Amino acid sequence: MAKILVINPNSNERVTAGLRESVAAIDADIDCCTIENGPFGIESDEDIAAVVPLIVHRVQSFPDYDAYVIACYSDPGLAECRSQVSKPVRGMQESAIETAMTHGGQFGVLALSDESIARHLAYIDSLGFRSRLAAELPLDITVDQSANDPGTLDKVIRTGQRLVAEFGANALILGCAGMAGIRAEAQKKLPVPLIEPAQAAVVLALKDVR
């Protein structure tokens, strides 16, 4: 059975717990770990710069895994890790968009904030998928709120419904690892597929391995 390491680059254990819940049903040997000395939430360019060497070190320190998933929607350290190890390394945003493409039409993204959106749009442009983006809307929450605030579920549902009704999204992406634990409940209230990016990244990593 393939061994996958899912790395939460922030130090919020509740985020890691949500990731474990999200990938639990996947048929693989999956470990989810927290980078304890990372920022409590990755919400700025400074946070991203700070975690890149930590992520690279974590991947290099655990060579026995068959593949690795970086569980932050900005995909920090993805290029650096791929240049350092020969095994598959998957990022959340890249994997979520690749998965959204399989549903046809355009996709919508539920982001933490306007600052997150600016960063995500630049990345989507670099991947060449801007024309497939229906819209990306902010929930106006922090990483910690995404994982711990009960009100986040309602925000995700309402914003997701708006992305479908007003912008024509055929699939939706949760734009933060902190929302991993609420995907199943939110999906019940949304008319299109709701993609949890870490889950998508693990599925694609398994295909890379096999």
Side-chain angles (χ1 to χ4, degrees), residues 25-47:
I26 298 175
D27 186 21
D29 184 0
I30 304 170
D31 290 327
C32 298
C33 70
T34 306
I35 294 185
E36 297 83 359
N37 53 337
F40 195 62
I42 299 173
E43 298 171 353
S44 68
D45 291 340
E46 291 76 18
D47 291 333

Side-chain angles (χ1 to χ4, degrees), residues 7-177:
I7 302 168
N8 172 21
N10 70 50
S11 56
N12 192 327
E13 290 284 356
R14 182 65 189 88
V15 173
T16 309
L19 291 167
R20 290 192 185 99
E21 181 180 343
S22 180
V23 303
I26 298 175
D27 186 21
D29 184 0
I30 304 170
D31 290 327
C32 298
C33 70
T34 306
I35 294 185
E36 297 83 359
N37 53 337
F40 195 62
I42 299 173
E43 298 171 353
S44 68
D45 291 340
E46 291 76 18
D47 291 333
I48 290 172
V51 300
V52 169
L54 302 178
I55 295 168
V56 173
H57 181 263
R58 184 60 59 98
V59 169
Q60 292 176 327
S61 299
F62 291 90
D64 293 336
Y65 287 89
D66 298 305
Y68 305 86
V69 167
I70 301 171
C72 171
Y73 195 71
S74 294
D75 288 353
L78 180 59
E80 291 84 352
C81 287
R82 284 176 171 171
S83 71
Q84 294 295 320
V85 299
S86 59
K87 295 176 181 179
V89 183
R90 281 282 176 172
M92 280 182 37
Q93 185 171 181
E94 181 186 65
S95 298
I97 293 172
E98 185 175 332
T99 302
M101 294 299 95
T102 66
H103 296 288
Q106 294 184 303
F107 63 92
V109 181
L110 299 100
L112 293 181
S113 64
D114 287 323
E115 183 178 1
S116 299
I117 291 174
R119 189 163 55 247
H120 298 165
L121 291 181
Y123 189 45
I124 291 171
D125 284 340
S126 73
L127 294 174
F129 291 117
R130 185 65 173 268
S131 65
R132 299 291 296 274
L133 177 68
E136 181 163 355
L137 299 178
L139 299 174
D140 296 319
I141 57 176
T142 65
V143 172
D144 188 50
Q145 287 174 318
S146 73
N148 292 307
D149 186 346
T152 295
L153 176 60
D154 184 59
K155 289 183 178 181
V156 165
I157 292 169
R158 286 189 286 107
T159 306
Q161 290 171 337
R162 184 182 169 202
L163 282 165
V164 175
E166 295 182 25
F167 298 92
N170 297 97
L172 300 172
I173 297 172
L174 294 169
C176 178

